[in-house]
C-alpha cells in the first residue's frame, strides 16, 4: 500500500519516495502562470490569509490579535460566509491522483445553493489558469472523497474588505481538466528536457 504525505516545510507532495507534481507547480512549469509579479510578501500574505480563513471557519480566529494587513481579507471572507452561508464539506486537505500522479490542496469544498462547489481563495490578481486549478482540484476531490462538484468558484478577497465570487459550471470544469492534463504533460516534458 502506498503512503501519501504532504510536507508543509517546502509545500511538496510525496507518494512513498516519489515527489508528485503539485497543481500550481504544474501550471507554472507549463508556463501558464507568470510568476514575475509574485513577491515573497504576496506569497506569505496568501498563506496567512488561508490559515486565518480556516480559523474563521472553525470559529477560532482571534480578531483582536490579527495582523492589520490581514484584517481586510478576513473581513471579506467573513462577509462571504455571512452572505452565501456555505456548508463546508472539506477544507485545506492535501489529496493526490493515483492515476495521473499529481497532488494539491483544495481550499474549500462547500455546499451552497444546493450545489457542491470547489472554492479557490485568492488574494491577488486572477489568472485564466486559476480555472484549470479549480478543475484539477475538482478531480482530486472526486477520486479521493467521492464528492462530485457541479460548480467551481474563485473567491477573490480584496484589501478593501470586499470580495468577488466568480463561478464556472461543470462543463467548463471538465474542459479545463483536459487542459490541465495537457499542462501536466508539458510541465513534465520541460522538467525532463532541462
Amino acid at each position: 500500500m502506498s503512503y501519501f504525505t504532504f510536507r508543509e516545510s517546502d509545500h511538496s507532495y510525496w507518494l512513498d519516495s516519489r515527489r508528485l507534481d503539485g497543481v500550481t507547480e504544474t501550471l507554472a512549469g507549463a508556463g501558464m502562470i507568470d510568476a514575475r509579479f509574485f513577491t515573497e510578501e504576496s506569497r506569505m500574505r496568501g498563506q496567512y490569509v488561508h490559515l486565518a480563513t480556516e480559523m474563521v471557519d472553525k470559529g477560532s480566529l482571534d480578531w483582536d490579535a490579527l495582523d492589520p494587513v490581514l484584517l481586510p481579507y478576513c473581513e471579506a471572507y467573513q462577509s462571504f460566509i455571512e452572505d452565501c452561508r456555505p456548508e463546508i464539506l472539506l477544507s485545506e486537505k492535501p489529496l493526490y491522483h493515483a492515476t495521473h500522479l499529481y497532488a494539491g490542496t483544495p481550499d474549500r469544498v462547500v455546499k451552497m445553493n444546493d450545489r457542491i462547489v470547489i472554492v479557490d481563495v485568492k488574494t491577488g490578481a486572477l489568472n485564466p489558469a486559476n480555472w484549470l486549478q479549480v478543475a484539477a482540484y475538482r478531480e482530486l476531490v472526486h477520486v479521493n472523497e467521492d464528492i462530485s462538484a457541479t460548480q467551481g468558484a474563485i473567491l477573490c478577497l480584496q484589501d478593501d474588505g470586499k470580495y468577488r465570487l466568480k463561478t464556472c459550471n461543470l462543463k467548463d470544469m471538465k474542459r479545463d481538466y483536459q487542459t490541465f492534463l495537457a499542462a501536466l504533460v508539458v510541465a513534465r516534458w520541460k522538467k525532463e528536457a532541462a
Side-chain angles (χ1 to χ4, degrees), residues 81-113:
I81 295 295
E82 291 169 3
D83 293 346
C84 299
R85 304 221 179 272
E87 175 190 346
I88 297 170
L89 305 176
L90 195 69
S91 178
E92 303 285 345
K93 182 177 181 181
L95 302 167
Y96 80 100
H97 199 292
T99 303
H100 296 295
L101 296 175
Y102 75 88
T105 305
D107 295 343
R108 304 290 186 284
V109 180
V110 303
K111 186 172 185 181
M112 193 166 61
N113 300 325

Side-chain angles (χ1 to χ4, degrees), residues 73-84:
Y73 299 100
C74 292
E75 289 173 338
Y77 186 74
Q78 183 66 42
S79 292
F80 160 73
I81 295 295
E82 291 169 3
D83 293 346
C84 299

Side-chain angles (χ1 to χ4, degrees), residues 27-67:
L27 296 172
M32 301 175 97
I33 295 176
D34 186 354
R36 290 179 297 166
F37 302 106
F38 295 138
T39 63
E40 182 61 18
E41 178 184 338
S42 67
R43 187 189 70 76
M44 292 300 294
R45 180 189 67 226
Q47 184 177 353
Y48 290 137
V49 167
H50 272 92
L51 291 171
T53 57
E54 198 172 6
M55 287 184 220
V56 168
D57 292 340
K58 294 175 182 174
S60 63
L61 181 65
D62 183 349
W63 288 88
D64 294 329
L66 191 62
D67 184 314

Side-chain angles (χ1 to χ4, degrees), residues 17-32:
S17 62
R18 178 186 178 147
R19 189 178 191 283
L20 299 177
D21 300 297
V23 171
T24 306
E25 172 188 28
T26 294
L27 296 172
M32 301 175 97

